Amino acid sequence: EELVDQLGLAAGQLRRVVDDVLDFSKVEAGALELESTVFNPRHCLDVCVAATRVTAAAKGLQVIMAEPAELPPALVGDPTRLAQIVNNFLSNAVKFTRVGTIRLRAEARSGGEGRVWLHVEVEDSGPGIGDDQMQSLFEPFRQADASINRRHGGTGLGLSISRRFAEAMGGRVGGQNAATGGAVFWLEIPFVL
């Protein structure tokens, strides 16, 4: 049974690596196609948080979604790419947080002309990231230090892909250290109301 569990984990890691490489290749080739569909942003974020709670609970971590300020019931855009960015932020938060809580906050900010900017933050209670390393994390194949791949796995593509998805949708992503320790990764993406 332990061997089956280990094989399952290895298969999941391999799938994530292949997905990252394929997504990165699409973006680099200019072949990324964005959806334009009506979706409920609150539901999209709820699904991301619920999926993350399973892996977080295995580490004894809590994942909390702060009650969002009035999110519109429907937006038009690409919910799949939005979810990929949010899931990447949440997955990294779980990966690098040993104890504590991961919080997701979301709000909609007026963008004028029938648009709204969706602002989402994922804050962890992990060790934080050196200011000199924060911006380089959004570059392909970059991780905060060389030992991360040995300890946690991954390709170093997740944040780069997240940045490129956000930019393709007319938005941006970023990160900074939290005032209370840990790190905060955020996205701002415009959607049609």
Side-chain angles (χ1 to χ4, degrees), residues 6 22-23 40 42 50 53 58 74 76 78 84 86-87 89 91 99 107 122 129 148 166 168 171 174-175 185 187:
Q6 289 174 346
L22 290 173
D23 284 338
N40 180 319
R42 173 63 192 252
R53 282 188 174 133
V76 178
D78 191 331
Q84 281 184 271
V86 172
N87 283 328
F89 290 174
S91 173
V99 295
E107 67 176 311
V122 173
I129 299 165
I148 286 176
F185 286 88
L187 65 84

Side-chain angles (χ1 to χ4, degrees), residues 127-137 144 176-177:
I129 299 165
D131 291 336
D132 57 327
Q133 298 168 324
M134 183 63 77
Q135 289 311 310
S136 69
L137 290 178
Q176 69 264 350
N177 285 308

Side-chain angles (χ1 to χ4, degrees), residues 41-110:
R42 173 63 192 252
H43 176 71
C44 180
L45 297 174
D46 282 341
V47 169
C48 293
V49 168
T52 303
R53 282 188 174 133
V54 175
T55 54
K59 287 184 70 175
L61 301 171
Q62 276 192 304
V63 181
I64 297 169
M65 182 164 169
E67 194 57 39
E70 292 295 312
L71 290 184
L75 295 175
V76 178
D78 191 331
T80 303
R81 301 303 183 200
L82 170 64
Q84 281 184 271
I85 297 169
V86 172
N87 283 328
N88 182 273
F89 290 174
L90 287 167
S91 173
N92 282 346
V94 170
K95 187 187 295 187
F96 297 110
T97 303
R98 282 195 217 141
V99 295
T101 303
I102 295 157
R103 286 184 175 76
L104 184 143
R105 289 182 291 277
E107 67 176 311
R109 299 173 178 170
S110 175

Side-chain angles (χ1 to χ4, degrees), residues 26-46:
K26 282 183 199 172
V27 171
E28 287 295 294
L32 178 66
E33 294 181 19
L34 297 175
E35 286 181 70
S36 184
T37 186
V38 177
F39 71 100
N40 180 319
R42 173 63 192 252
H43 176 71
C44 180
L45 297 174
D46 282 341

